[in-house]
């Protein structure tokens, strides 16, 4: 006869899903935060990648849903990890050599763009872009106000270029986890 085992399911998502753990959400932009990452190696190619788990923060209707993505560590694919880090902490780490600890960006809220993708006959949500948190909802506003903001955007671009130069200097010998 089996002994009873006490198991706490209080943190388990109530949604019953088959064939995988990722939620399916409508295409579009979401605020989300990385909550877990694992360094993995592809069985087929032997290349390394980071497997990410994100939790949706906004819109409220999808708050708490889990989405997954991978960032390859192949040199020609590092742009995606660069974009993720930039979206999470606002720093462009291109051209730097860093000791990156994925936990350094856990909980950092950023904008993700999700599109539908078919895999083995099932539709799933795939993260296709990372942007800073401030980009959430900005696309619709930008389309409406495009003509009015041209001069302001030029001023903002100049300020951002100055900020980027300062940030690049600060990053010379800094590990991401110290940011």
């Amino acid at each position: 006869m089996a002994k009873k085992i006490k198991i706490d399911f209080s943190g388990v998502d109530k949604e019953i899903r088959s064939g995988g753990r990722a939620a399916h959400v409508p295409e579009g932009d979401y605020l989300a935060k990385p909550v877990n990452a694992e360094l993995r190696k592809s069985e087929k190619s032997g290349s390394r990648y980071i497997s990410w788990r994100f939790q949706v923060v906004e819109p409220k209707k999808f708050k708490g849903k889990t989405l997954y993505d991978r960032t390859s560590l192949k040199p020609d694919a590092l742009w995606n990890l660069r974009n993720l880090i930039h979206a999470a902490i606002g720093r462009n780490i291109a051209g730097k050599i860093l000791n990156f600890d994925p936990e350094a960006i856990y909980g950092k809220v950023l904008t993700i763009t999700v599109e539908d993708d078919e895999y083995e006959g099932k539709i799933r949500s795939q993260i296709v872009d990372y942007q800073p948190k401030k980009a959430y909802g900005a696309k619709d506003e930008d389309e409406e106000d495009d003509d009015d903001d041209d001069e302001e955007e030029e001023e903002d671009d100049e300020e951002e270029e100055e900020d980027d130069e300062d940030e690049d200097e600060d990053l010379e010998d800094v590990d991401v986890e110290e940011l």
Side-chain angles (χ1 to χ4, degrees), residues 25-32 56 58-59 62 110-115 128-129 131 135-140:
V25 296
E27 292 183 321
D29 290 344
Y30 295 83
L31 284 182
V56 174
E58 289 279 335
F62 300 102
L110 55 120
T111 301
I112 60 171
T113 301
V114 175
E115 292 181 357
V128 296
D129 192 26
Q131 294 291 323
Y136 181 70
K139 290 178 185 172
D140 295 334

Side-chain angles (χ1 to χ4, degrees), residues 49-151:
Y49 63 92
I50 300 173
S51 177
W52 295 93
R53 184 167 47 115
F54 291 87
Q55 194 168 61
V56 174
V57 175
E58 289 279 335
K60 290 189 190 316
K61 180 178 181 179
F62 300 102
K63 186 175 183 174
K65 297 290 185 188
T66 301
L67 298 172
Y68 295 88
D69 198 21
R70 295 178 177 185
T71 52
S72 173
L73 298 180
K74 290 181 180 179
D76 62 342
L78 283 174
W79 59 268
N80 197 28
L81 180 57
R82 177 212 54 212
N83 290 355
L84 171 55
I85 293 169
H86 178 263
I89 63 172
R91 303 271 170 98
N92 186 348
I93 49 82
K96 309 295 182 212
I97 298 173
L98 302 171
N99 291 319
F100 176 59
D101 178 0
E103 290 185 22
I105 64 172
Y106 285 6
K108 305 283 186 188
V109 177
L110 55 120
T111 301
I112 60 171
T113 301
V114 175
E115 292 181 357
D116 285 346
D117 180 51
E118 186 175 337
Y119 180 73
E120 296 182 353
K122 294 182 181 182
I123 301 296
R124 64 181 183 167
S125 295
Q126 180 177 4
I127 298 172
V128 296
D129 192 26
Y130 300 107
Q131 294 291 323
K133 178 181 178 180
K134 66 183 179 183
Y136 181 70
K139 290 178 185 172
D140 295 334
E141 294 170 14
D142 285 348
E143 289 172 8
E144 295 170 12
D145 300 336
D146 239 1
D147 298 332
D148 301 336
D149 297 329
D150 288 345
E151 288 179 26

